[in-house]
Amino acid sequence: MLIGQYSLNKNYQQERARLHDAYSHAFHGVLEQVKSDRIDIGWLIPGLLESSMSPDKALKSIKKIIDTNWPQIELQSQIISVFLFDKDTQLIGHWGEARAQKQFDDWLGLVAKHEITYDYIVCEDRCVHFRATPFLHNGDFLGIFIFGVDLADTVLKLKNVIGLDTAILTRHSRIENPGILRLEPWSMNAMALTEHQKNSALLKELSKRHPQALPKGSVILEAGGKTYDLISLPFDDSNDARMLIIEDVSASLSSVEQASSLYALSGLLSLLLSGGVLLFLLIGPTRRLRSLVNVFPLIAKKQYHAVARRIRPPKHAWVKDEIDVLEDAAHALIGTLQELDDQVNQRTQALSKQAKELLIEKNFIDNMLNTAQVIILTTDKMGMIRTVNKFTEQLTGYSAAELLGKPFSELFFSAETSDLLLVSNGIFDRTQSQNLQFECPMVARDGSELYLSWYLSPLFIAEIEAESAHEILVVGLDLTERKKSENRLTWLAEHDPLTSLYNRRKFEKELEHAISLALRQGHTSAIVFFDIDQFKYINDSCGHQVGDELLIKVAEKLRHITRKADVIARFGGDEFIVLASDIEQKQAEELAQKLCSEMATVVIDSGGEQHRASVSAGLLMFPEADCGAQDLLASADIAMYRAKEEGRGGWRLASHDDIGRKAIKSRVTWKAKIEKALEENRFVLYYQPIMRIADRTITHYECLLRMVGEDGEISPPARFIEVAEQTGLIYQIDLRVIDLAFSKQAELLRQGLDIKLSINLSAEMLSNPDAFAVISRFLQQYRLEPKHFIFEVTETQAVTRLQAAHDLIVQIESIGGSFALDDFGVGFSSMSYLKQLPVNYLKIDGSFVKNILHSREDRLFVHAINGVGHGMGIKTIAEFVENQEILEVLAGIGIDYAQGYGIGKAMPHPEFHQKNIVG
């Protein structure tokens, strides 16, 4: 019945789908026929023209022909409108209805460009088929005809083909036509409709039941006691117009329902007939089987005598059925169960007595084991856990139920420990007295790691057979806290606590190993040494917490961009290093470039201000002949600072061909000395007096830097400044000089001494966009006024960084400070730079001063500089004034100030000044 019902429905659905497809093909066939049946005069009219006509006259002649013949064309054809355009798509004229003209622009250009025919259907209050046809004159493209044909007769032609009612539905138009059926829920009009009176009621009912929109495809509608299938088909070029086919399917549905009823009736009769036959055949055996089933609860209750009375005695017939066999088995089962019950009762009494004795012994042992603060458990020969004490559960977090019957080896991390347990079983089998002790970690239930010392001993119980009695006693002593302390100390010895990277000590060990491995296996490896540009400024200006955050983010980024096999370490401060083993130079260069690029994406926020990381790196390939770890590190270090010299944010490949051994060792040695001197505050200032020549008074001092060695030796700046500039430490030295000078000035002011201090600034400080902010911060810190200081830069530094120098000079002078241009005359020697550098003092280089007594050229040059300076309102200072004679010559020229050994040498404290003298 179900299969028949399914087949009927399936066949009906397939038939309907076939009909829907046929209706769609018929509709499109009728539509194509309507398009092809209209009279196309686009090729006819141009043929009436004379070939000698010009294009303009030809178009006018065509317009005149259509004007004359339009009534006849409209009457004898289905054409309701004609439009004439020239080849530039300009309208020449139109005849008939002008509807849809605004849509021509979308495809006139396409027809004109490709000279092809274009068809389009437009539906408003009615549907019109438009065809755009290009035409020629004398073989040249002259213009475009557009003909419009009314499609209202489509419904009648389609009905003649398929024999069903049809309708054309379009969107509401702006033209009100009382003769057209309006379907308000859909905002549509029934432009054409067969059997108007009957079908208009159907369409209104359908719009009420589906008010959202006209259903696409097919929809079933029951109305007036009949069932209709309404099929909606779209026109080719318009989604707003639909062809609706209305088919009465009541008869076909009725035939399907009748066939289904026949299937149901036949299935029910078959079911009743088969049920009657089965009932007749099974009623007797079923009664006997039910009687037998009812006695089984009595067997469960051990009522054997009642069961024997209710079951028929065993048959001795020659033929027995299955129920007879079952009854015989029930009698045999009763006898067996009675014997077993007697045996069980006897054994139960004996076991009860033994259990009481064992329980007493077990309670004693359990109490003793559970009070011990060590893990105590036993395993069988296969390593399966048989017993555990309470402390095991407390320490590991596993319950006894989770541990019993599980392999003891599953508690351990490594396969090596599991193998050790298997070996221990063999030892116990051979010696029967050998104990085993080892230490290893294990995992607790919560995932934490425990570290235990294990003691394994064999157990033998003489009263039981040896094969089943061989067990192992396992005792575990918790050493977790002690191991954590040891591991922490070991970790700290090899790692940087802030970033968790390797420290310098561990890295040097790894580098030594990598060098020997590279030599032995014949491959190349690389180290990339880098530090963070301007880290000292970020650390000082934003605080150590922000600096630490930047170091942590750089370490995280470093882990992300390096290989798992690479060794990465923090060397100290803002220096990091990467060891990439077994790598070609091209890959190493890509790693260095990637490192510089990726680090530029690291950003930290500090008080609403963002700081983006920038690194400079040195790349070195090894092994190199006769180069140990320290030599390689030194070369990479120098390459890094050469990268800084070439511009921050990049990298430099170290080459032993252009870096001398002595130069490397010297720079590395001095770099270490500078770093340690900064750390231990062993930089000091010496003060050289500067005399005002006019009244021979000391008005200010130049602060000269000195470094005190660990042995107390005083080193002048010439020995370490170049290394500081190359290694990027010059900025930290600048900050230290400013700090020392400002501190000294505050002390002098407290003593009542009003003098000026002249401070030298490096090119690094001059280029730093935050230089003015740094100086302002120190002024606020020591509560000083800028008028007490003169800041000096060399001519070369100022000219090569002209804009930065100009900006800083203007900023310093705006708050009352002064600026001096040092070593003037030996650099670019261009007076024009003074226009762009509004300094207060010009310090004439000593090379022109020291020979001024004997060199006419030097005297003229000094005289010229002085004249230009005074002309621009700049005071002049002569350096290298060694004796009184030079001082007199300078006084005659009109130099304002003198400095040199003839005035006074640099001293640890200002000594020659006079109180209350203002320069």
Side-chain angles (χ1 to χ4, degrees), residues 370-389:
N370 289 333
T371 55
Q373 295 300 298
V374 293
I375 291 179
I376 301 176
L377 54 86
T378 60
T379 68
D380 59 17
K381 290 192 298 183
M382 303 305 295
M384 299 297 181
I385 299 175
R386 297 187 60 181
T387 62
V388 295
N389 67 342

Side-chain angles (χ1 to χ4, degrees), residues 493-494 503-516 567 579 629-630 633:
E494 296 181 345
N503 57 18
R504 181 168 191 151
R505 175 174 170 270
K506 175 64 175 176
F507 184 85
E508 289 177 350
K509 290 182 179 179
E510 294 291 333
L511 180 57
E512 292 285 359
H513 176 70
I515 293 172
S516 62
V567 178
L579 168 59
Q630 294 302 320
L633 291 174

Side-chain angles (χ1 to χ4, degrees), residues 652-719:
R652 169 72 182 266
L653 177 65
S655 171
H656 285 282
D657 294 335
D658 58 7
I659 301 177
R661 288 274 184 262
K662 292 182 179 180
I664 292 176
K665 292 182 179 180
S666 174
R667 289 174 181 175
V668 171
T669 301
W670 274 106
K671 177 177 178 288
K673 287 182 179 181
I674 295 170
E675 290 175 338
K676 196 167 185 181
L678 285 168
E679 182 180 351
E680 297 176 356
N681 295 320
R682 285 192 279 102
F683 279 103
V684 297
L685 293 182
Y686 275 47
Y687 305 89
Q688 186 172 26
I690 299 176
M691 173 187 288
R692 185 162 55 195
I693 298 177
D695 56 7
R696 300 299 198 267
T697 59
I698 304 300
T699 60
H700 61 277
Y701 293 81
E702 181 178 3
C703 300
L704 301 176
L705 183 65
R706 301 290 185 267
M707 186 174 77
V708 182
E710 292 182 295
D711 57 356
E713 179 187 2
I714 303 297
S715 298
R719 299 177 64 181

Side-chain angles (χ1 to χ4, degrees), residues 90 92 122 129 164 201 225 241 326 356 364 505 580 773 785 815 879:
Q90 298 298 317
I92 304 300
V122 176
H129 169 244
L164 300 176
L326 187 59
K356 291 179 180 179
F364 173 76
R505 175 174 170 270
E785 296 182 11
I815 61 174
E879 298 180 305

